[in-house]
Amino acid sequence: MARKKGRNINGWLIVDKPAGVTSTSVVNKLRWALDAKKAGHAGTLDPDATGVLAVALGEATKTVSYITDALKCYDFTVNWGAETTTDDASGEVVRRSDIRPEAAQIEAALAGFTGEIMQVPPAYSAVKLDGERAYDLAREGEEVELAARPLWVESLSLIEADGGTARLEMVCGKGGYVRSIARDLGRELGCLGHVAGLRRIWSGPFDVEDGVAFERIDREAQAWLEERLLPLETALEDMPMLRATPDGARRIRNGNPGEVTGTAEWGQAVWVSDAEGPVCIGRYQGGTVQPERVFNL
């Protein structure tokens, strides 16, 4: 008997992920609940983290990279006085300190963690080392040494501090690890630290206030979930939109350059629509667009 392939459902659904659930589990649950043929998420959240997990369905998966590259906002709490193997509360303590920073000291240190910084990912991360995931090597007891990589931190601010902990908010670009920020900030202050709580508030155009609670996914009818789908072009709001002519849309859908109305800079990434909806993402070439991702809606 042939395996059922699922339904063609296109769009984004924002889930408010709870702690203790993996990002992959959320995607699988949503795909099952909607009987969707294809699904994926834009940006992994650690199992203990909560907040925005943007799940792309169907043709929206072709826009995932544009959300992965977008700025994201995190609200997190750091516990001072201990560094752990995982840089969060789930790991074993490996170093301790009796030092506790004052709010003014924390504020002064934050400037060194904004703008273009170099960050070493946690040993327990999905970064690949010699073809293997760092967390797999770390769990096997191997020494994991990851190279520093650039990270754009738009802002890092102190919300509150009570001596033993500090609550901060960070807006950063692609590839940022809040656990590394907590670890490195603790080292900079001489007090050591690790993440005690982490919540993603927004990711690109997607806000946690628009998120569906994970517990409701298998409780609600498919129609209820489908009503909360956002169109796939939501992920493209920062990209210029051009309109295809009828013949241009036909040519683009066949993978060829097609005529469009409107203008952009030569070679700029744009998305194209027609009366039926999104047609493609492509490069503007002076009156035409060379398609890179064609939407089959």
Side-chain angles (χ1 to χ4, degrees):
M1 185 176 178
R3 182 178 178 272
K4 189 178 179 183
K5 292 183 178 180
R7 301 189 299 155
N8 289 315
I9 300 175
N10 304 299
W12 287 89
L13 199 142
I14 312 310
V15 178
D16 186 351
K17 190 188 89 63
V21 179
T22 67
S23 299
T24 300
S25 296
V26 173
V27 172
N28 290 341
K29 174 75 77 172
L30 192 58
R31 184 179 179 183
W32 167 82
L34 285 168
D35 188 26
K37 183 181 292 185
K38 191 174 183 182
H41 65 73
T44 302
L45 270 179
D46 290 339
D48 290 339
T50 69
V52 171
L53 187 71
V55 180
L57 298 155
E59 291 297 281
T61 56
K62 294 177 179 177
T63 68
V64 162
S65 63
Y66 301 95
I67 297 301
T68 304
D69 291 342
L71 291 175
K72 301 166 182 64
C73 179
Y74 298 93
D75 183 327
F76 63 104
T77 299
V78 180
N79 274 4
W80 305 123
E83 196 167 288
T84 71
T85 52
T86 57
D87 299 316
D88 64 15
S90 69
E92 297 179 11
V93 174
V94 290
R95 296 170 64 198
R96 293 188 183 275
S97 171
D98 293 328
I99 298 172
R100 298 295 181 269
E102 299 289 338
Q105 293 174 297
I106 300 169
E107 291 272 17
L110 296 183
F113 291 84
T114 56
E116 189 79 26
I117 69 170
M118 295 300 291
Q119 182 185 81
V120 177
Y124 284 80
S125 65
V127 175
K128 283 193 173 181
L129 191 64
D130 296 328
E132 294 192 63
R133 298 291 185 185
Y135 54 64
D136 287 331
L137 297 172
R139 285 169 187 155
E140 291 169 3
E142 292 193 33
E143 191 74 26
V144 176
E145 293 187 12
L146 298 173
R149 52 185 61 192
L151 169 68
W152 174 256
V153 179
E154 185 85 2
S155 63
L156 180 61
S157 53
L158 179 65
I159 299 174
E160 59 185 4
D162 68 0
T165 65
R167 184 179 165 209
L168 301 104
E169 181 178 276
M170 179 173 74
V171 177
C172 69
K174 177 182 180 181
Y177 284 93
V178 175
R179 288 179 290 144
S180 291
I181 293 289
R183 176 199 66 208
D184 295 344
L185 187 58
R187 290 176 181 176
E188 178 70 20
L189 292 165
C191 61
L192 306 180
H194 63 271
V195 169
L198 169 62
R199 184 164 176 78
R200 185 152 64 196
I201 305 301
W202 52 262
S203 178
F206 304 126
D207 195 282
V208 73
E209 292 183 0
D210 301 322
V212 172
F214 178 70
E215 315 82 69
R216 299 192 69 169
I217 292 176
D218 57 2
R219 256 194 355 234
E220 302 291 348
Q222 286 182 348
W224 186 89
L225 290 170
E226 288 181 35
E227 285 173 3
R228 281 145 185 83
L229 282 178
L230 300 172
L232 73 78
E233 60 265 32
T234 307
L236 308 175
E237 65 172 18
D238 291 333
M239 186 183 295
M241 188 275 281
L242 303 178
R243 194 81 167 177
T245 64
D247 183 63
R250 179 186 61 78
R251 287 181 55 79
I252 288 171
R253 288 192 173 101
N254 288 323
N256 301 308
E259 185 181 13
V260 295
T261 59
T263 61
E265 294 182 12
W266 181 277
Q268 185 176 11
V270 299
W271 71 277
V272 177
S273 70
D274 68 357
E276 296 179 15
V279 177
C280 79
I281 298 169
R283 298 282 170 179
Y284 182 69
Q285 296 182 336
T288 65
V289 166
Q290 174 66 52
E292 294 181 347
R293 297 287 184 94
V294 176
F295 300 119
N296 301 306
L297 300 174

